[in-house]
Amino acid sequence: MMFPFFLSHRSRTERDANAIRLRAGWLAIVAAVVTIALKFTAYALTGSAGLLSDAVESLANLVTASAVLISIWYASRPVDRSHNYGHGKVEFFASGVEGLFIVGAAVAIGWIGVIRLFDPHELESLGLGTVIAIAASAVNLLVARMLIRVGRAYRSPALTADGRHVMTDVWTTGGVLIGLGIIAFTGWLWVDALIALVLAVNIAFTGWRLIAVGVNGLMDRALPLADERLVREAVETALRDAPDRETTFHALRTREAGSRRFVDFHLLVPGRVSVGDAHALASDLEQVVDRALPGVETTIHIEPLEDDASYRDSDLLVLEDGPERAHRVETGSGFR
Ligand SMILES: [Zn+2]
Ligand SMILES: [Zn+2]
């Protein structure tokens, strides 16, 4: 899918990127309001527990879309006296809070399902209800894809999380409609309650994944291994051309905070190298890292390679020699 016209301007400046993130955030709120109206209408027409579950879920969308918008705005504020590393981490809070809300919605939907399982209701106006639910789902599909794209392109975990969340709603509505179709043909009213229960489990998993994203971010989880490797290889390649062959580095660390990414490491140079020369090399390496991972903020600590103390100044050094680093594996979800 193409970006809508007002999101298509790809600019290099952070201010423009942020304007695009904010617009995407507003669009998510508008979409949430529209789908809430449509889905509760569909429920009122049919009396379906499945459609009611779907409508409750879109209420959670509105709450979380609002949290996302506030966090994007806050994350965009420049560094200040009290937040020297910027405000990006607020996006991980948003992801975690969003996850909690979604788990809450899952519990509510599960409760509706249990009640209806023991007390099935006759369904009405299934045709019109279905048409309205499909319209709501189409709105969600367009918005979800836009959010995921903008979130990835402009590295906003909050937007990406919101997009994934809205995308699960598309599947949710699809499942509800299939169930209503089965009921229309068979008259098995318990299918409606069963759908609500299945939705509850699926939605709870979505919430769990978002909580995991929030926790990983707040815990300063390292960048993906592939990104770390890019940085290491770029620095190693650059050091082959360094003025002194024995120049090396260690204790490389990475982390991210919202859309900002950070790298730091120790640069080991011969003790006789002047401060000016060592700093010039460090500045070159910062450029090298920026080319490998654009936008990364790099900090380099310079130390004399002859001094034993240089090799005892980071707990990471043990891991770099051991099997730990090589065995760090990437998993798609969960707490890593
Ligand atoms: Zn400097
Ligand atoms: Zn060191």
Side-chain angles (χ1 to χ4, degrees):
M1 190 186 76
M2 299 290 293
F3 282 128
F5 69 94
F6 57 94
L7 294 171
S8 63
H9 177 60
R10 279 175 178 274
S11 168
R12 310 202 122 243
T13 75
E14 186 56 24
R15 187 200 292 261
D16 287 345
N18 208 62
I20 290 168
R21 289 186 200 113
L22 281 175
R23 268 178 251 164
W26 274 112
L27 201 65
I29 288 184
V30 172
V33 171
V34 170
T35 53
I36 285 170
L38 289 174
K39 286 180 177 176
F40 272 102
T41 305
Y43 160 66
L45 284 169
T46 60
S48 155
L51 284 175
L52 176 59
S53 308
D54 204 17
V56 168
E57 223 289 319
S58 53
L59 268 183
N61 286 7
L62 181 60
V63 176
T64 57
S66 308
V68 166
L69 188 63
I70 292 168
S71 80
I72 291 171
W73 163 75
Y74 190 65
S76 73
R77 293 171 44 139
V79 294
D80 57 31
R81 275 292 190 188
S82 42
H83 298 92
N84 303 165
Y85 291 90
H87 302 81
K89 282 205 174 184
V90 71
E91 293 205 34
F92 293 119
F93 272 114
S95 186
V97 169
E98 183 165 3
L100 287 176
F101 266 104
I102 292 173
V103 169
V107 171
I109 291 165
W111 184 238
I112 293 169
V114 169
I115 290 175
R116 279 296 180 89
L117 201 55
F118 295 105
D119 179 23
H121 284 207
E122 213 50 63
L123 303 185
E124 296 156 36
S125 308
L126 279 183
L128 184 56
T130 301
V131 170
I132 293 173
I134 288 175
S137 210
V139 171
N140 274 342
L141 180 65
L142 291 176
V143 168
R145 296 188 60 162
M146 179 276 293
L147 288 173
I148 292 171
R149 278 184 171 235
V150 174
R152 287 209 182 119
Y154 297 96
R155 282 203 322 285
S156 164
L159 278 182
T160 311
D162 202 27
R164 291 227 178 83
H165 169 194
V166 175
M167 192 60 95
T168 62
D169 291 7
V170 176
W171 292 106
T172 301
T173 309
V176 171
L177 293 180
I178 289 171
L180 293 184
I182 293 173
I183 294 166
F185 280 104
T186 62
W188 297 340
L189 287 177
W190 53 267
V191 171
D192 192 35
L194 185 68
I195 292 165
L197 289 172
V198 172
L199 292 191
V201 173
N202 182 41
I203 291 165
F205 271 113
T206 305
W208 170 253
R209 278 196 294 272
L210 292 179
I211 292 170
V213 167
V215 170
N216 283 330
L218 293 174
M219 290 304 296
D220 277 338
R221 163 97 188 156
L223 293 180
L225 207 49
D227 288 347
E228 183 190 313
R229 213 170 270 143
L230 279 178
V231 172
R232 281 184 186 281
E233 282 166 7
V235 174
E236 278 160 14
T237 307
L239 284 182
R240 265 177 232 138
D241 302 326
D244 296 288
R245 300 290 295 174
E246 61 271 53
T247 301
T248 182
F249 72 103
H250 65 204
L252 181 116
R253 298 190 294 189
T254 66
R255 67 188 183 91
E256 62 187 320
S259 60
R260 292 159 67 107
R261 296 184 287 183
F262 301 89
V263 169
D264 65 73
F265 59 87
H266 300 178
L267 182 64
L268 295 128
V269 299
R272 61 180 156 71
V273 174
S274 74
V275 172
D277 287 348
H279 179 256
L281 177 60
S283 295
D284 285 349
L285 290 175
E286 284 169 11
Q287 302 288 322
V288 162
V289 174
D290 188 65
R291 277 196 294 276
L293 277 190
V296 155
E297 296 176 35
T298 308
T299 307
I300 301 174
H301 169 72
I302 297 168
E303 50 195 19
L305 57 80
E306 301 87 352
D307 191 342
D308 283 346
S310 299
Y311 303 89
R312 290 195 302 265
D313 59 352
S314 168
D315 292 340
L316 276 175
L317 297 177
V318 183
L319 303 183
E320 288 187 342
D321 296 333
E324 187 83 9
R325 184 167 71 84
H327 287 175
R328 180 153 76 78
V329 289
E330 298 298 301
T331 53
S333 64
F335 299 96
R336 295 168 286 149

